[in-house]
Amino acid sequence: MKLHRINALVIRHLYLYKRSLPRIMDIIYWPVMELLLWGFLSAYIEKLDLGGFNAVTVLLGAVIFWDFLNQSQKAVSIAFLEEIWEKNLLNIFVTPLRISEFLASTMIIGIVRLVLVGIILAILAFALYQFNLFALGFALIPFVLNLFAFGWTLGLFANAIILRFGTSAQILAWGFLVLVQPFSAVFYPVSALPQFLQPLAYLIPSTYVFEGMREVLSTGAFAAAHLWGAIIANAAVFAVMLWFFFRMFAYVKREGKLLKLEG
């Protein structure tokens, strides 16, 4: 891979954010609105005094972690769709640019979005609800990295489906993550799921992250077992999705359908 080509794509997408209010709103507005919604709900539950249940800590931590996952998935999907919408996909792939370089640039964009959202939500959560995201300490970093990796992998899968079925499948760029949420134990433990769904939940990397977050918040101990579960599940899912994406990209090139995606 050539760093100058990756850098060029990163700069190209960052320039779009500079002059686009909708793109900035996608990073700031929706995560902030979600934080306010769940923050007010958490504050209300706290007033009910439910026997030691710390709603602010548990729910706001889950909301912020979920937005991390959401932003990393969107970074990959939206970067790909931007090229389709602007009829630029064919232009960039007739250059020496490799698909691995394109994917690397989306990863960097995802990190930028993740940092921006993390800073904004951490400041607001502390200012409005006295929730300190960094109370998790260094345990926060590996769990966030696993969320980022899983979100990036989901974006890869959505892009592969769009390659195969065209822009009619672009709703997956926004909707696929919602299908995963009920099984990821975001706001409740895996034990709250029906018995027959619990094995399915443990196939999803994000489940281990949210379970580990709750363990850290409740016990203060580093959830090593959940971290390793997230790493192993992420590695398996990533390998499958990367293979699937390259297979779909090869299919599109072989069938001459790359140009039709821009139609």
Side-chain angles (χ1 to χ4, degrees), residues 115-131:
V115 171
L116 289 175
V117 170
I119 292 173
I120 293 169
L121 294 186
I123 292 173
L124 282 178
F126 185 75
L128 298 176
Y129 310 108
Q130 289 73 55
F131 171 72

Side-chain angles (χ1 to χ4, degrees), residues 38-49:
W38 284 96
F40 293 142
L41 176 61
S42 302
Y44 170 70
I45 295 175
E46 279 291 289
K47 293 178 181 179
L48 297 180
D49 191 17

Side-chain angles (χ1 to χ4, degrees), residues 183-232:
F183 310 106
S184 293
V186 181
F187 301 109
Y188 43 79
V190 174
S191 58
L193 292 171
Q195 192 70 34
F196 70 96
L197 288 177
Q198 292 181 21
L200 173 62
Y202 282 117
L203 295 176
I204 303 173
S206 53
T207 301
Y208 295 95
V209 175
F210 289 106
E211 288 281 84
M213 178 203 69
R214 278 187 290 270
E215 183 174 328
V216 172
L217 289 173
S218 61
T219 67
F222 182 70
H226 287 110
L227 176 61
W228 280 109
I231 292 172
I232 293 170

Side-chain angles (χ1 to χ4, degrees), residues 93-107:
F93 285 120
V94 296
T95 68
L97 180 75
R98 298 178 180 178
I99 187 64
S100 58
E101 293 166 344
F102 177 81
L103 294 178
S105 70
T106 65
M107 182 180 293

Side-chain angles (χ1 to χ4, degrees), residues 61-107:
V63 167
I64 293 173
F65 269 50
W66 181 255
D67 274 318
F68 287 164
L69 178 59
N70 191 24
Q71 291 299 325
S72 61
Q73 186 263 323
K74 279 186 176 180
V76 183
S77 299
I78 300 303
F80 182 73
L81 285 170
E82 289 277 8
E83 306 297 351
I84 295 177
W85 293 333
E86 298 178 15
K87 303 185 184 301
N88 195 44
L89 195 63
L90 186 62
N91 293 336
I92 63 173
F93 285 120
V94 296
T95 68
L97 180 75
R98 298 178 180 178
I99 187 64
S100 58
E101 293 166 344
F102 177 81
L103 294 178
S105 70
T106 65
M107 182 180 293

